[in-house]
Amino acid sequence: TLEARNIVIATGSEPTPLPGVEIDGKRIVDSTGALSLPEVPKKLIVVGAGIIGLELGSVWRRLGAEVTVVEFLDRITPGMDTETAKTFQRALTKQGITFKLGAKVTGASASKSAVKLTVEPVAGGEAETLEADYVLVAIGRRPYTAGLGLDSAGVTADKRGFIETDHFKTSAPGVWAIGDAIHGPMLAHKAEEDAVACIELIAGKAGHVDYNLVPSVVYTAPEVAWVGKTEEQ
């Protein structure tokens, strides 16, 4: 048993699971599994046109895989300026990535050598079956806060698992939380700023993070980066 005057929860996040699709780590992988596929896939399907899905899809496309991205929304990279996102999508399409937007995945079955994915239009219509060597599920990340025993310490989390904080203080005295475990952009450099500000506050100093100034970046080729509010915002 460890005792301390202050405890900082910095447990980060994990990939969000997709109902009806079991990540087996062999043919159906999450972002960690997609970093270490044993071969370059002939065909790769990426579920989710967010930052992580596009980064890894772009890597395997450049290595020679035929990549199809299936996205529930009618656009890629939600949160990015719309005009920038359209230009970005055109660049990726030119590189040979195929996009199926406004499409939802309703099921997946994996064999030893392939995966069959059932996809149907969000607006309604005929379902279709897509086949690939591998499927990457990248529909986002969620806070890694389940099973920490937060209740026993009196720490409040919302229904999505984010810990509620006020200047990094939780509802329990002496317990603080930072990074992907709390609200805000789920980015490593944001978590790092949170950590510095949190420790400064614990030390009785002034600690502050301006979330309007946290840059976002997509590590594709070309890279896309932005900071501040989008035109829509």
Side-chain angles (χ1 to χ4, degrees):
T1 302
L2 301 177
E3 285 188 34
R5 191 180 300 164
N6 291 286
I7 293 171
V8 180
I9 298 172
T11 44
S13 58
E14 62 182 348
T16 304
L18 179 61
V21 178
E22 187 191 342
I23 292 169
D24 60 13
K26 295 181 183 126
R27 290 287 157 186
I28 303 174
V29 296
D30 60 15
S31 52
T32 308
L35 294 172
S36 53
L37 297 178
E39 62 196 353
V40 176
K42 285 191 181 69
K43 286 190 177 182
L44 171 69
I45 296 172
V46 178
V47 182
I51 291 175
I52 295 171
L54 295 182
E55 285 176 345
L56 288 163
S58 165
V59 167
W60 288 108
R61 174 70 201 110
R62 279 175 278 152
L63 290 169
E66 191 182 303
V67 176
T68 302
V69 178
V70 178
E71 168 58 45
F72 186 84
L73 299 175
D74 58 1
R75 56 160 295 169
I76 69 167
T77 50
M80 183 188 285
D81 178 89
T82 305
E83 194 179 345
T84 308
K86 282 179 180 164
T87 307
F88 180 34
Q89 187 181 337
R90 276 202 298 273
L92 294 176
T93 302
K94 269 187 190 162
Q95 292 171 21
I97 295 179
T98 305
F99 290 93
K100 281 189 177 295
L101 303 178
K104 65 178 174 185
V105 173
T106 54
S109 61
S111 66
K112 273 188 178 173
S113 59
V115 185
K116 285 185 178 178
L117 209 61
T118 314
V119 178
E120 58 184 57
V122 172
E126 296 243 336
E128 63 174 323
T129 302
L130 305 177
E131 285 199 42
D133 306 327
Y134 295 92
V135 169
L136 161 61
V137 177
I139 59 166
R141 296 183 70 81
R142 64 181 182 185
Y144 188 72
T145 54
L148 292 183
L150 297 179
D151 296 348
S152 64
V155 176
T156 312
D158 68 13
K159 62 177 186 290
R160 289 170 63 208
F162 288 102
I163 295 170
E164 304 283 2
T165 56
D166 179 16
H167 292 83
F168 313 111
K169 281 184 188 164
T170 71
S171 46
V175 182
W176 309 69
I178 61 164
D180 286 4
I182 68 171
H183 287 284
M186 296 176 103
L187 298 164
H189 50 276
K190 173 264 194 186
E192 195 176 350
E193 291 296 312
D194 281 357
V196 172
C198 179
I199 299 305
E200 284 172 339
L201 290 167
I202 288 172
K205 310 284 183 193
H208 176 67
V209 181
D210 186 344
Y211 292 126
N212 292 312
L213 301 181
V214 177
S216 294
V217 60
V218 192
Y219 292 110
T220 45
E223 286 183 6
V224 188
W226 66 98
V227 67
K229 293 199 185 307
T230 64
E231 193 175 354
E232 292 76 36
Q233 288 168 328

